[in-house]
Amino acid sequence: MRHVPLLLYVAMMGDALAPTRRAALRSAVGALGLTTAQRAVAATNAEAEKVRVASRELNELLKNEDALRFKVLVEGSGKLPIAVSFITFQKLEKDCGDDFMGAAIEYAETYKDAKDLVKLAVLSKGDGGGPDVATRYYERALPNLKEASAKLDAVVKLLPK
C-alpha cells in the first residue's frame, strides 16, 4: 500500500466523486484554506495575549511603588517590562475598532518616554550625577509609567474577545 499524505487522503475521501488527482488536490487546497483561516485567528489571539500580558506586568510593577523606587534608585536596575511592539499592534489593527491604533500609539510614546527617564535615572546615579539628579529623573518617570499603564489598559479594552 502506498503512503498518501493525510490531508490529501482526507480530501480524496471527502470528494469521492472526484475522478482525477486534480480535483482531489483542489479539495486539499480548500482544506488548507480553512486551516489558514484558523491559523490567522490563533495568531490574532496570540498577539492580543501579548498585549494583555504586558498590561498585567506593568500594573504589577506599579502596585508597589516603593519597591520600584528601591530597584531604580538603590539597586540601579532600570529593567521594566518589555514594551509591546508596533508590529503587534499592526497585526491586531484590523480586528479592533477605529480608535485602536491611536490608543496604541499614545501608549507607545508614553512608555518610551518613561523608559528613557528610568534609564537616565539609573545612568545619572552611576555617572556621579548624585542621588538628587537620579531622584528627579525617577520622579518624572513615575507619572509617565502610570500614564502608560492606563493607556495600555485602554488598548486592552479595545482588543477582540
Side-chain angles (χ1 to χ4, degrees):
M1 179 173 193
R2 291 178 38 196
H3 294 282
V4 179
L6 181 61
L7 185 60
L8 185 57
Y9 177 75
V10 169
M12 288 185 331
M13 296 314 290
D15 194 3
L17 299 176
T20 66
R21 270 189 254 160
R22 184 174 300 184
L25 285 172
R26 254 186 264 137
S27 296
V29 168
L32 282 175
L34 291 176
T35 58
T36 301
Q38 291 169 342
R39 273 185 273 167
V41 168
T44 298
N45 290 340
E47 299 300 323
E49 189 58 27
K50 285 181 188 177
V51 176
R52 289 185 185 98
V53 167
S55 177
R56 283 192 298 269
E57 288 177 353
L58 190 53
N59 285 325
E60 189 67 32
L61 178 74
L62 292 171
K63 278 184 183 177
N64 192 346
E65 290 180 25
D66 291 334
L68 177 61
R69 182 182 194 90
F70 182 82
K71 186 171 119 174
V72 172
L73 296 177
V74 176
E75 293 178 350
S77 170
K79 182 132 172 73
L80 297 175
I82 295 174
V84 180
S85 71
F86 194 69
I87 293 170
T88 298
F89 291 131
Q90 286 176 321
K91 289 178 182 177
L92 291 167
E93 181 179 19
K94 68 182 179 312
D95 298 323
C96 299
D98 295 336
D99 299 332
F100 180 76
M101 279 310 280
I105 290 169
E106 287 179 19
Y107 152 75
E109 290 173 349
T110 305
Y111 194 63
K112 182 188 177 313
D113 291 344
K115 284 183 81 162
D116 289 346
L117 288 167
V118 167
K119 192 174 193 176
L120 285 170
V122 170
L123 291 174
S124 65
K125 181 183 174 294
D127 286 342
D132 292 341
V133 176
T135 302
R136 282 197 301 266
Y137 280 125
Y138 172 79
E139 288 172 351
R140 287 176 51 201
L142 189 59
N144 281 2
L145 282 170
K146 290 178 181 179
E147 186 179 351
S149 178
K151 289 181 179 187
L152 189 56
D153 289 343
V155 169
V156 168
K157 290 177 185 173
L158 297 172
L159 291 173
K161 301 293 176 204

